[in-house]
């Protein structure tokens, strides 16, 4: 029996009473697992040939009633869902940038029996290692008192997979990776997030290049750990790296010179300690 079957026949049987209270239709664990898989498929993208990255951090929005039922089960449900995310990543050949986390959130805008999944990539280098903070009126679930942190189960076939971190357990503090940066006019702009858009538009771009020959959204920088991949977003003048036009995407290396329009930027694999700008 596979993991999804376990979710359907084992976990769902155990929480059936909690998810069926009140007589109206309620969200079932297998529906949550299906929604997570769909989010991974919808948000995955290719960094390079044979290397596809998918989200690893998920916040599941429930109606307040469904949220209370999900919170009652706590860590066992979240742990099963984390296992399902890793299983789906292995099946589809997705790379995950860090530990898998699944958090539950009460949302007045979600109808009973429905759910909404918000996902993103998190390599553990952000300032907060806990799941996304909920709205003040809908606090995130506290640790279930009867559900201690599950021990990490040995899984030889998953030796290379990210560690599982259920929603109610904070992951261990990861080693701080080197933070890459782009140098523009002598100023180093740290690439602190996993996705940075480079362009002329102050509304659309994360790093604004004041050059009329640069497109509003010219290029995209995707960071996984210390590796940064540059993707041309179909700009009218293209992107050059060390004088060569980028065809689709390329992985950046220390000292690479990036030309967009009439502007040149320099890529640094690690930002210097001084003179930087986030």
């Amino acid at each position: 029996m596979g993991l999804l079957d376990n979710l359907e026949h084992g976990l769902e049987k155990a929480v059936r009473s909690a998810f069926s209270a009140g007589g109206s239709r309620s969200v079932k664990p297998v529906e949550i697992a299906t929604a997570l898989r769909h989010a991974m498929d919808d948000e995955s993208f290719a960094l390079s040939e044979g290397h596809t990255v998918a989200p690893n951090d998920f916040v599941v929005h429930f109606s307040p009633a469904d949220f209370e039922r999900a919170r009652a089960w706590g860590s066992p449900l979240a742990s099963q869902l984390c296992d399902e995310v890793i299983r789906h990543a292995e099946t589809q050949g997705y790379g995950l940038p860090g530990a898998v986390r699944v958090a539950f959130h009460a949302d007045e805008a979600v109808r009973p029996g429905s759910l909404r999944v918000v996902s993103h990539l998190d390599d553990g280098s952000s300032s907060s290692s806990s799941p996304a903070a909920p709205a003040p009126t809908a606090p995130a679930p506290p640790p279930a008192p009867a559900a201690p942190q599950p021990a990490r189960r040995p899984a030889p076939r998953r030796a290379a997979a990210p560690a599982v971190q259920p929603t109610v357990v904070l992951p261990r503090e990861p080693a701080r990776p080197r933070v890459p940066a782009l140098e523009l006019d002598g100023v180093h702009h740290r690439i602190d997030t996993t996705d940075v858009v480079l362009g002329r538009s102050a509304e659309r771009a994360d790093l604004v290049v004041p050059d009329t020959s640069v497109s509003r959204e010219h290029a995209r920088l995707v960071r996984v750990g210390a590796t940064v991949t540059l993707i041309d977003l179909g700009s009218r003048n293209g992107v050059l790296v060390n004088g060569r036009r980028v065809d689709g995407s390329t992985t950046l290396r220390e000292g690479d010179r990036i030309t967009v329009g009439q502007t040149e930027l320099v890529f640094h694999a690690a930002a210097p300690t001084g003179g930087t700008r986030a």
Side-chain angles (χ1 to χ4, degrees):
M1 181 179 292
L3 180 59
L4 185 56
D5 292 328
N6 288 334
L7 272 172
E8 178 75 43
H9 299 293
L11 178 61
E12 189 167 350
K13 179 180 179 181
V15 299
R16 184 175 300 154
S17 60
F19 275 82
S20 301
S24 60
R25 185 191 182 282
S26 302
V27 175
K28 296 179 173 59
V30 70
E31 294 174 324
I32 307 172
T34 300
L36 293 177
R37 291 195 299 269
H38 287 169
M40 294 175 71
D41 294 338
D42 292 342
E43 299 298 327
S44 64
F45 58 91
L47 283 179
S48 58
E49 185 176 355
H51 187 193
T52 300
V53 175
N56 63 308
D57 195 295
F58 305 87
V59 179
V60 184
H61 291 240
F62 298 99
S63 69
D66 286 332
F67 169 72
E68 290 301 327
R69 296 174 186 125
R71 184 170 65 172
W73 192 244
S75 291
L77 174 59
S79 182
Q80 288 279 351
L81 294 172
C82 288
D83 285 344
E84 176 60 17
V85 168
I86 291 179
R87 187 205 67 80
H88 189 62
E90 292 175 346
T91 301
Q92 300 300 318
Y94 297 151
L96 300 176
V100 175
R101 287 185 291 271
V102 177
F104 302 152
H105 184 78
D107 190 337
E108 295 284 353
V110 177
R111 298 192 309 273
S114 301
L115 60 87
R116 181 170 66 91
V117 174
V118 178
S119 63
H120 69 280
L121 283 76
D122 184 2
D123 65 359
S125 63
S126 59
S127 57
S128 173
S129 59
S130 59
T137 57
Q149 179 179 356
R152 183 176 298 173
R153 298 186 295 275
R157 290 181 297 175
R158 294 178 181 172
V164 174
Q165 297 292 345
T167 179
V168 297
V169 181
L170 295 180
R172 291 180 299 176
E173 181 66 23
R176 296 290 295 178
R178 297 191 306 168
V179 179
L182 282 179
E183 181 182 350
L184 173 61
D185 295 333
V187 177
H188 291 79
H189 300 266
R190 292 162 59 96
I191 305 175
D192 283 330
T193 61
T194 56
D195 196 338
V196 175
V197 173
L198 185 72
R200 189 181 78 251
S201 172
E203 291 77 21
R204 300 182 183 180
D206 302 300
L207 177 53
V208 178
V209 180
D211 182 337
T212 57
S213 58
V214 172
S215 299
R216 290 184 176 87
E217 296 179 76
H218 202 100
R220 180 184 185 189
L221 299 170
V222 177
R223 178 172 69 85
V224 178
T227 301
V228 176
T229 300
L230 183 146
I231 304 172
D232 185 0
L233 296 178
S235 56
R236 66 177 183 272
N237 292 324
V239 182
L240 303 180
V241 174
N242 300 326
R244 294 187 176 183
R245 189 181 182 97
V246 174
D247 183 12
S249 66
T250 186
T251 299
L252 297 177
R253 295 174 174 80
E254 172 63 37
D256 279 351
R257 296 187 173 275
I258 304 165
T259 303
V260 290
Q262 302 299 316
T263 303
E264 184 176 88
L265 306 94
V266 181
F267 175 76
H268 298 284
T273 57
T276 64
R277 179 178 299 173

